[in-house]
Amino acid sequence: MGSPATNEVREAADRYKAGVIPYKQMGYWDPDYGPKDTDLLALFRITPQPGVDADEAAAAVAGESSTATWTVVWTDRLTAADVYRAKAYRVDPVPNTGPGTQTEAQYFAYIAYDLDLFEPGSIANLTASIIGNVFGFKAVRALRLEDMRIPLAYLKTFQGPATGIVVERERLDKFGRPLLGATTKPKLGLSGRNYGRVVYEALRGGLDFVKDDENINSQPFMHWRDRFLYCMEAVNKASAATGEVKGHYLNVTAGTMEDMYERAELAKSLGSVIVMIDLVIGYTAIQSMAKWARRNDMILHLHRAGNSTYSRQKNHGMNFRVICKWMRMAGVDHIHAGTVVGKLEGDPLMIKGFYDTLRGTRVPQSLEHGLFFDQDWASLNRVMPVASGGIHAGQMHQLLHYLGEDVVLQFGGGTIGHPMGIQAGATANRVALEAMILARNEGRDYLREGPQILEQAARWCTPLKAALETWRDITFNYESTDTADYVPTPTASF
Amino acid sequence: MTDQGMRITQGQFSFLPDLTDEQIAAQVRYALGNGWAVNLEYTDDPHPRNTYWEMFGMPLFELRDPAALMAELEQCRKSFPRHYIRVTAFDSTRGWETPRMSFIVNRPQHEPGFRLVRQEVDGRQIRYTIHPYATDKPEGERYP
């Protein structure tokens, strides 16, 4: 028996002997660890390889997403290594997985990261760690980042949404109801002149916004300058015809930052209130555009092109709620976040989790909605969620019920496909919306009485009548692939 | 779609038939139920960027019942029968601190609308100005 000091020296010597030791023994597993308020917390869904126990898999994920490499390195001893090591501190089996179920065993692993592991104000740096090499790591068969708790201290290093819901509404002079939009269709092939026609008709008929589609950039059938010029003619003409502020999301997505800035500058000089970008431009480009938007008093719309490649499957990739958090930090004002009732993936409870994440100021843990942590947003602006894809006027009561008031409802087909024309389609949507808001505020049970409220308005509004007749029975009832896995008690059981 | 003539569609309910007083009171009740303070504002310059309509008194912070606001509205309509009048509801909650409702409760019989002025500048660019026809006349004489 040596003195405690001697023991420590011997332990350290053993720990750093060259070779390969389990991650657990390298210091990446610490069930007694109490996370600090300044720690970044991540929750991963881990499917370990057969024969790898859950704690070791969690430790490996903590290691590979922070300081570890596959073998012991003596150079760790030149650093305060214990601070930089991420710590897996809790592992729960995922309900309804493992022996006796259809799904191989999965685990929820909680991992804490010290604040100093990350560069201030850089989503690129944050994600290079958290979703870097670790996702290809062989010791786990599949890995999914389910949620994160971003500490206040880190949030304060980000600009956040360039405009935010409050200022967006003040600038547009639109309060107390969801905003209405539509995406120009067909997506591809319209000339600038023809494209602007769709924009004018939709805005003139009652929409607040029209939108470029994600893949409308600058193609042979319509170069970007043509589109911008004709769209702004349409926006201003519609504004003069209605007395309202109107907008068109001019997509400035391009091959280089220089091109994007050039397009954004033209949008600004033409007087547009909003520009848009696609998620595929990357985190750094998004942050750059958010700073540009803040400097130039521009609303920044983000189309989540590409996200379903990694967010849809339950066992691997990342949950969309994490994208929502990163995008709020990165500084976008709008993000497509699901409709519940439309054509795209979206379980109602999960969507509520996304919407709360985008719009809340303090969002409490809610396992039912897939939120694993309390999240205080540190006064970062609110993001306006956008509901788009297969929605129509006949669902107005459901949309208001599920999505609330601070949302852009985008009826693309539901406006442009109207049998009486685009203006009529837009009017139908606006009348349905205003009638529903009026009824809700009067205290009516609008969710139950929704169809009657719409029928009543359709008696004096022919376009709404036609919309209801055309789309009455259109629903998209498929089972969601992404739902919450939780048990209402802290300890999971099979 | 046939054009029904100009109707300025600012505010929450401009696509619906003009609200009755009963309907207005119900909306005010909703605002008060949320703890918001309501006020009346009027203008004869409906330009979409005319943010500051004249206040018909301050927001009624102590108001608990729509009746008093409805009485104010009657007064306001008497004084400005051919102006635009709107109800605005202000939310003082941290994180909002902004209007949460805004809807028109009086408008002129005839709304002449706006002229769109196009100034052609370099390239194919156009500078747009939206000009309310009514504001060619001085305040108070704009809507006969």
Side-chain angles (χ1 to χ4, degrees), chain A residues 147-165:
Chain A
D147 199 8
M148 291 185 82
R149 192 281 307 265
I150 318 288
L152 242 66
Y154 196 50
L155 280 181
K156 280 293 187 189
T157 66
F158 287 85
Q159 168 193 283
T163 314
I165 291 179

Side-chain angles (χ1 to χ4, degrees), chain A residues 86-102:
Chain A
K87 289 148 195 91
Y89 62 94
R90 175 175 165 187
V91 172
D92 298 336
V94 175
N96 306 315
T97 68
T101 71
Q102 304 278 336

